[in-house]
Amino acid sequence: MAKNISKRNNMSAQNRPFSLKATKKTQKVNLQTTIVDGKKVRLSTKEIKTNKKNK
């Protein structure tokens, strides 16, 4: 099983229908399973991209 090592949290946003009545919702982070140093870990896609750039 992959370990979640991402440091990012969910964001809060608002649903806005045609009547403009605001209701709260959460936007979850896009976590993907990757292999780092021979171990399966869960990172956000943004963190995966920066890791590839730094290598």
Side-chain angles (χ1 to χ4, degrees):
M1 183 159 173
K3 185 176 182 184
N4 185 7
I5 62 169
S6 180
K7 295 178 179 141
R8 300 184 69 199
N9 295 326
N10 294 344
M11 293 179 62
S12 61
Q14 293 179 337
N15 283 328
R16 291 279 180 169
F18 188 72
S19 64
L20 296 180
K21 180 174 179 156
T23 57
K24 290 193 174 186
K25 69 175 183 176
T26 57
Q27 292 178 334
K28 296 185 179 178
V29 179
N30 186 6
L31 294 178
Q32 301 290 324
T33 303
T34 59
I35 296 175
V36 177
D37 297 330
K39 296 181 181 178
K40 277 187 170 183
V41 293
R42 291 181 67 195
L43 292 172
S44 66
T45 52
K46 187 174 183 179
E47 291 171 332
I48 292 170
K49 284 171 112 177
T50 56
N51 284 341
K52 285 184 180 179
K53 284 183 181 180
N54 292 334
K55 286 185 177 182

